[in-house]
Amino acid sequence: MASASLPAPAPGRAELLKAFEESRTGVRGLVESGVSSVPEIFRHPDPYASIPLAPLGVSIPVVDLSLPFPDAAAAAAEAARTWGFFHLVNYHHALPQPADGGGGEYPARALAAVRAFNELPPAERAPHYGRAVDGGVNYSTNVDLYNSPAASWRDTIQIMLGPNRRPDLAARIPAVCSAEVLEWEARATAAARAVMGLLSEGLGLGPAALEEASCLEGKVMACHYYPHCPEPERTMGIVPHTDPGVLTVLAQDEIGGLQVKHQDEEGRSCWVDVKPVPGALVINVGDLLQIKSNDKYPSVEHRVTMNTREEPRVSIAIFFSPGKRGDSIFYGPLPGLVSSENPPKYRNFTMGEFFGTFFSRDLASKALIDHFKL
């Protein structure tokens, strides 16, 4: 009598990741295939437990770029010190104006173009899928897919904009969104220049300190697409993390989902919804600015929750960092902020060491800033 065959063992995480990657269509491909539950590699154990949500009405501060410079600088510095995040409104007058007088449709035009790429047929997206960064552009799911304990429900086009920009970069970006995202880059960079001037002034160093430290020259754009999720309570859009750079400029659509961790005056933490504000950008302090400011401006944890709507969420983040690189170029707290009474809280390091440390860990790790503390 033949013995009954044993069931095949369940595939391990490595096998599941390999199969997912070989599909080359990302999370959007899972949705297109009709999945009715979140696959195991995307499941987070109780992702929204522990820290409560803030009461209704609590929101990040607003900084108005139409205010006189001293007033806007004071508001930006206060927001950066107390929240690490703020909405930036009335920023359009700081942006370059096209010859035809248009431009008011940005960033909506860029967001729509990113959505259009992600909703191309799988056969048209798949040739772009990959993790290599030497070409200046990649399209993949989760930069930390192989380092994190659970994947997050998003796909990303990542574009290396500086400091060493490829001359053929525009041709390497998917054609359906290339012109739009590069036009938005120019506008977001102008907004970042204005914000860095405010924050430099708020540190008492004059408006040019951060730009003179090459902080506008390193640029990476991340175009995120968060598809509809069949089980939003089981996964996340992005896990709680801090951004590694100096400053992040975020454009988001009307769907929402971004939350910021905030600690009140009594030391209690909560998650605060960053509801989309028409005509506003979201600005946040990164780890490098916390270091360069010697802890005056904190880099704050944030996350993206899954929504229950049928529509996807789309956002475009540009991460700014110092562009001067090399083994003999070191960064740390800005010299004008340290003294015998206020010694540096961080050691000096090269950008190679900094980003090498960042990419060796999973996104949720809190160890990046601690690695450089004195």
Side-chain angles (χ1 to χ4, degrees):
M1 183 176 177
S3 60
S5 59
L6 295 173
R13 179 172 174 77
E15 294 173 74
L16 294 171
L17 286 173
K18 182 174 183 291
F20 172 77
E21 285 281 90
E22 289 177 348
S23 75
R24 301 182 65 83
T25 56
V27 178
R28 168 72 179 174
L30 295 175
V31 176
E32 290 167 325
S33 72
V35 293
S36 58
S37 61
V38 170
E40 186 65 33
I41 60 172
F42 290 91
R43 294 191 179 192
H44 293 247
D46 208 3
Y48 303 112
S50 67
I51 298 175
L53 294 177
L56 290 175
V58 177
S59 181
I60 64 173
V62 176
V63 173
D64 187 342
L65 207 52
S66 69
L67 292 173
F69 181 80
D71 296 337
E78 176 66 13
R81 276 194 299 267
T82 57
W83 281 82
F85 267 80
F86 55 87
H87 278 122
L88 183 71
V89 299
N90 292 322
Y91 62 90
H92 291 91
H93 76 276
L95 308 188
Q97 295 302 315
D100 62 5
E105 69 273 21
Y106 281 93
R109 187 176 168 191
L111 292 165
V114 169
R115 178 170 178 168
F117 167 76
N118 283 277
E119 295 177 0
L120 288 172
E124 295 183 41
R125 298 197 314 274
H128 296 281
Y129 196 92
R131 298 191 175 273
V133 298
D134 53 352
V137 182
N138 64 43
Y139 157 58
S140 64
T141 298
N142 295 199
V143 67
D144 63 339
L145 184 68
Y146 291 95
N147 292 332
S148 63
S152 295
W153 200 257
R154 75 181 183 283
D155 298 324
T156 302
I157 306 169
Q158 184 171 263
I159 306 170
M160 313 302 172
L161 298 166
N164 300 312
R165 189 187 190 112
R166 292 185 61 108
D168 61 346
L169 182 66
R172 290 176 170 270
I173 301 169
V176 71
C177 61
S178 180
E180 291 84 355
V181 298
L182 291 178
E183 176 67 21
W184 176 241
E185 176 218 347
R187 296 170 182 280
T189 299
R193 176 177 287 110
V195 171
M196 285 191 192
L198 300 178
L199 295 177
S200 295
E201 182 73 15
L203 291 171
L205 301 176
L210 289 171
E211 187 169 356
E212 288 175 352
S214 78
C215 292
L216 274 173
E217 296 173 17
K219 287 186 281 187
V220 176
M221 176 184 286
C223 305
H224 295 310
Y225 179 88
Y226 305 83
H228 166 71
C229 182
E231 295 181 298
E233 73 282 358
R234 289 187 175 273
T235 189
M236 303 195 76
I238 297 183
V239 295
H241 68 287
T242 58
D243 292 346
V246 172
L247 195 74
T248 303
V249 175
L250 177 77
Q252 60 174 339
D253 65 11
E254 72 284 359
I255 298 299
L258 176 63
Q259 294 181 337
V260 172
K261 186 187 283 186
H262 182 62
Q263 192 172 79
D264 65 19
E265 294 177 355
E266 297 180 6
R268 295 173 298 196
S269 293
C270 61
W271 288 107
V272 177
D273 279 317
V274 182
K275 295 187 182 301
V277 172
L281 299 176
V282 178
I283 306 294
N284 68 277
V285 172
D287 295 339
L288 276 169
L289 185 50
Q290 177 168 337
I291 292 171
K292 293 182 79 63
S293 70
N294 211 29
D295 281 351
K296 292 187 185 302
Y297 296 151
S299 178
V300 174
E301 275 191 286
H302 49 288
R303 67 185 186 182
V304 174
T305 63
M306 297 308 305
N307 67 74
T308 56
R309 297 169 65 170
E310 291 294 325
E311 302 96 328
R313 176 180 187 261
V314 181
S315 68
I316 302 175
I318 302 184
F319 307 99
F320 292 87
S321 62
K324 293 179 180 177
R325 310 283 169 92
D327 293 341
S328 61
I329 300 174
F330 289 87
Y331 293 92
L334 290 164
L337 298 179
V338 297
S339 64
S340 56
E341 294 77 28
N342 186 34
K345 296 179 171 65
Y346 302 91
R347 64 175 177 83
N348 290 338
F349 49 85
T350 65
M351 292 308 298
E353 181 189 3
F354 182 84
F355 282 116
T357 304
F358 172 73
F359 285 111
S360 68
R361 69 207 234 298
D362 69 277
L363 193 62
S365 171
K366 311 301 188 299
L368 184 59
I369 277 189
D370 291 343
H371 184 81
F372 301 100
K373 276 187 176 177
L374 290 172

